[in-house]
């Protein structure tokens, strides 16, 4: 690990000042906020990230709370851990899919330390990206080695020129629930729908996965209490049953009318694209129909229609279809 300066922030404003105070020409050397450290420290040990300064956010009071306003909207502090999320009674009752997504992450030890904002900002798990000596496209190199190399775990949607998949289990579910982020930076505060947070390799800076500017930090995640919220689920397929990242995952949320027809639907795929991948045509196909096997199968076919698999990952197409069907079937009862 490269030597770095350690600072402990006393407030959000202090954290932003500490992050903004150190200039770095190389983006991999920019100061970084540290939450649970589960991902940042690994990338530092592997020299993928070499920040000149690390700013500990865990010393900021008040960012570790889950709160609900009288209308039932949730406000989740950036430092809330995945374990807090999965075990909070009101989250489990009002946003069951979110509790399931949190519970699907790794092990209890990792969920005890890993935070919500850190989970959204974690770096990709592509083998080539994680290998210290491989300078792939995302690390400023000229080639995505996964495109023609080992690509079993890589993208079937939204790939090119890089084929990473986004590793977060919370991201697809939070997107399905219509979450918004509160962000603070040197230019003040901003609110950003999660839908606008993640960037595809083609649509943004290739070396990043989101639109956070230098010295900006996420302070809170808000989730509206919509009619979709309590009929939500998260299904994840992983290669190892113990702990693993998603080979494919589905976040689904629906609102049913009194006649049981679908009034609203949100379907977001995980583990298949560089960003959580919403499938609006499949959502639209569900509207107005009863949530039966036929509707679920039709939505699954539509959702995967545009997939462009690489040499080793076409299995993700039938796998993801099966997850969509299973998730929708679960939500009808
Ligand atoms: C063995 C292992 C298995 C895992 N399996 C899974 C899995 O199956 N599914 C899954 O979703 N995740 C998985 N993870 C990832 C784990 O959930 C994340 O590493 C963790 O949630 C990151 O949270 P953290 O608080 O530790 O973040 P950190 O490691 O502290 O930070 C991660 C990144 O986020 C940035 N950051 C942190 N907080 C903020 C903030 N408030 N604002 C802006 N930027 C911020 C940091 O600068 C850093 O770039 C796994 C991790 C390990 C080590």
């Amino acid at each position: 690990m490269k030597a770095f300066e350690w600072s402990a922030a006393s407030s959000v404003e202090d954290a932003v000042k500490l992050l903004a105070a150190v200039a770095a020409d190389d983006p991999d050397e920019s100061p970084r906020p540290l939450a649970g450290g589960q991902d940042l420290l690994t990338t530092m040990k592997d020299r993928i990230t070499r920040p000149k300064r690390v700013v500990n956010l865990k010393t900021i009071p008040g960012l570790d709370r889950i709160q609900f306003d009288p209308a039932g909207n949730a406000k989740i502090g950036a430092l809330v851990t995945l374990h807090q999320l999965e075990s909070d009674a009101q989250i489990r009752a009002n946003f069951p899919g979110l509790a399931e997504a949190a519970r699907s992450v790794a092990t209890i030890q990792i969920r005890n330390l890993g935070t919500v904002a850190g989970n959204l900002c974690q770096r990709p798990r592509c083998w080539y990206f994680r290998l210290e000596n491989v300078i792939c496209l995302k690390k400023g190199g000229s080639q995505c080695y996964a495109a023609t190399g080992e690509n079993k775990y890589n993208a079937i949607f939204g790939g090119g020129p890089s084929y990473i998949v986004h590793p977060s289990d919370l991201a697809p579910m939070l997107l399905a629930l219509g979450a918004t982020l509160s962000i603070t930076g040197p230019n003040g505060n901003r609110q950003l729908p999660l839908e606008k947070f993640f960037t595809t390799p083609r649509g943004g800076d290739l070396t990043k996965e989101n639109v956070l500017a230098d010295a900006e930090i996420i302070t809170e995640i808000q989730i509206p209490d919509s009619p979709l919220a309590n009929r939500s689920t998260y299904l994840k397929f992983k290669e190892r049953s113990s702990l693993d990242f998603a080979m494919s995952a589905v976040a689904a949320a629906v609102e049913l009318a009194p006649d049981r027809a679908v009034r609203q639907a949100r379907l977001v795929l995980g583990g298949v694209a560089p960003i959580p991948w919403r499938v609006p045509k499949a959502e639209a196909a569900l509207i107005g129909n009863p949530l039966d096997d036929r509707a679920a199968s039709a939505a699954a076919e539509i959702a995967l229609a545009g997939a462009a698999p690489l040499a080793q990952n076409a299995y993700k197409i039938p796998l993801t279809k099966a997850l969509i069907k299973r998730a929708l079937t679960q939500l009808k009862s």
Side-chain angles (χ1 to χ4, degrees):
M1 189 186 281
K2 197 174 169 200
F4 60 91
E5 189 188 333
W6 173 264
S7 313
S10 57
S11 64
V12 169
E13 293 68 30
D14 187 36
V16 169
K17 265 192 212 147
L18 288 164
L19 288 165
V22 177
D25 294 334
D26 179 345
D28 288 333
E29 296 187 355
S30 299
R32 292 290 157 100
L34 176 119
Q38 299 281 285
D39 190 45
L40 183 63
L41 296 179
T42 316
T43 57
M44 287 169 66
K45 282 181 190 164
D46 291 341
R47 291 180 172 254
I48 297 166
T49 311
R50 301 170 300 280
K52 290 186 173 176
R53 172 182 279 179
V54 171
V55 177
N56 185 11
L57 303 181
K58 288 225 159 176
T59 43
I60 303 175
L63 292 186
D64 57 354
R65 292 189 205 130
I66 301 175
Q67 293 168 298
F68 290 87
D69 68 16
N73 305 308
K75 292 173 178 214
I76 299 170
L79 293 177
V80 165
T81 64
L82 301 173
H83 181 59
Q84 269 175 278
L85 254 196
E86 70 177 306
S87 48
D88 185 277
Q90 214 166 335
I91 293 285
R92 288 163 78 124
N94 298 6
F95 305 98
L98 186 58
E100 289 167 21
R103 194 164 52 245
S104 80
V105 173
T107 61
I108 186 66
Q109 291 85 352
I110 288 166
R111 300 199 295 276
N112 259 329
L113 276 175
T115 64
V116 175
N119 187 270
L120 296 177
C121 298
Q122 62 178 301
R123 306 300 313 274
R125 287 278 157 178
C126 178
W127 286 340
Y128 297 104
F129 175 74
R130 292 273 164 171
L131 279 175
E132 181 179 344
N133 295 325
V134 174
I135 307 302
C136 72
L137 205 50
K138 281 198 68 67
K139 291 192 277 188
S142 58
Q143 205 179 331
C144 172
Y145 295 98
T148 53
E150 294 298 327
N151 49 40
K152 179 176 171 185
Y153 302 107
N154 291 80
I156 58 170
F157 286 110
S162 149
Y163 288 86
I164 60 143
V165 294
H166 202 281
S168 166
D169 282 307
L170 292 188
M173 198 67 240
L174 285 170
L175 199 61
L177 295 172
T180 297
L181 304 177
S182 293
I183 295 170
T184 300
N187 299 323
N189 303 324
R190 60 177 173 136
Q191 293 286 110
L192 187 74
L194 189 62
E195 193 128 36
K196 298 198 168 147
F197 181 65
F198 299 104
T199 51
T200 60
R202 237 183 263 285
D205 177 347
L206 246 183
T207 62
K208 294 168 68 174
E209 294 80 45
N210 59 56
V211 297
L212 272 188
D214 279 351
E216 277 193 322
I217 57 172
I218 298 170
T219 56
E220 190 179 82
I221 295 106
Q222 293 108 27
I223 317 173
D225 180 30
S226 74
L228 290 159
N230 61 9
R231 200 178 282 275
S232 59
T233 192
Y234 184 73
L235 292 190
K236 166 178 175 180
F237 185 87
K238 46 191 185 172
E239 199 164 34
R240 289 179 298 188
S241 58
S242 52
L243 82 156
D244 219 340
F245 289 88
M247 293 176 104
S248 173
V250 174
V254 295
E255 180 193 359
L256 299 184
D259 66 356
R260 311 295 287 169
V262 176
R263 194 178 263 164
Q264 280 191 76
R266 289 284 184 101
L267 279 177
V268 185
L269 310 180
V272 293
I275 57 172
W277 194 255
R278 195 167 165 195
V279 281
K281 286 184 184 163
E283 293 170 0
L286 290 165
I287 309 294
N289 294 313
L291 197 53
D292 55 17
D293 292 351
R294 211 167 127 236
S297 296
E301 290 300 322
I302 295 169
L304 272 296
L310 300 165
Q312 297 170 358
N313 65 8
Y315 73 91
K316 288 195 180 192
I317 295 176
L319 173 62
T320 309
K321 285 182 189 173
L323 288 176
I324 293 173
K325 282 188 244 174
R326 206 173 289 175
L328 291 174
T329 306
Q330 222 168 279
L331 291 181
K332 75 180 172 193
S333 50

